[in-house]
Structures are given as structure tokens and as C-alpha cells.
Amino acid sequence: MTKRKVQTQAHAVIWIDHSVAKIFSVGLTGVSASAVRAHSLSPHRKANTEVDSTFLARVSDALGNCTDLLIIGPGIEKTKLEHFLKTNRPTLTVHAESSDHPTEREIVALGRKRFHLD
């Protein structure tokens, strides 16, 4: 998975937690993957009182021309991203679902199902 690449497909699925957003651009011609990592002063979330204020904006930038997005993840970061995108990219259609820690294949399968690309 590349560190950061702007998505070019209309559909994308993101698995996100407090440290990384794994972005999968899904289309009829294939899938491309990238990741955006949060900047952290400490590897331990509870010990780190500083939050990366640029993380959600960098995730939004990495979506490029995406028009339809599925956000999944185990914690509250997916909700934070959903609210951020609804405020800053109102033309983007956003769907959110809870998810534990699926494999990359499972993430792509969820996106294909959501966007009817089976």
C-alpha cells in the first residue's frame, strides 16, 4: 500500500482508526490502495495528549475526485471523519459503518457491495 496517493475513482472505501486511514479506490477497472498516517508524538494513544489536527484534512485531500465514500472502522475516528467531510465536502456522498479489523480483501469487498460493483 502506498503512503499517500490521490484517488481517481468515483468510489472509495476507507478503514480508519486514530493512527491510519487505509483508502481503497474501487471501480469497474480495479482497485488502488493508499494510506494516510496520523502524526504522533507517542506510540501510545493514551500517553499522547496532542492530536494530529491535520489528519482528517489530509485524508480528505487524499480522496481526490471521489464522489461516493464508505467509511468503516472500530472507533470514533470514522464518525469524526464523517462529520469533517460533511462540513468540508458537502457534495461528497458519505456512508459510515462500524467494522472491527477486516483484511484488505474484506474492505474492498465491502466497498464493491456498497457501490454495486460486484
Side-chain angles (χ1 to χ4, degrees), residues 55-99:
F55 182 48
L56 298 180
R58 290 185 294 119
V59 172
S60 177
D61 290 345
L63 292 173
N65 296 327
C66 176
T67 58
D68 204 0
L69 176 67
L70 172 62
I71 305 169
I72 60 173
I76 63 168
E77 206 66 31
K78 71 181 168 301
T79 305
K80 289 180 183 179
L81 178 59
E82 180 181 17
H83 291 296
F84 180 88
L85 293 172
K86 286 184 177 184
T87 300
N88 295 286
R89 294 186 62 174
T91 60
L92 179 63
T93 302
V94 179
H95 315 272
E97 297 177 10
S98 293
S99 175

Side-chain angles (χ1 to χ4, degrees), residues 32 37 39 53 55 63 68 99-100 105 110-111:
S32 63
R37 300 200 180 282
H39 302 299
S53 61
F55 182 48
L63 292 173
D68 204 0
S99 175
D100 195 15
R105 289 182 84 153
L110 286 170

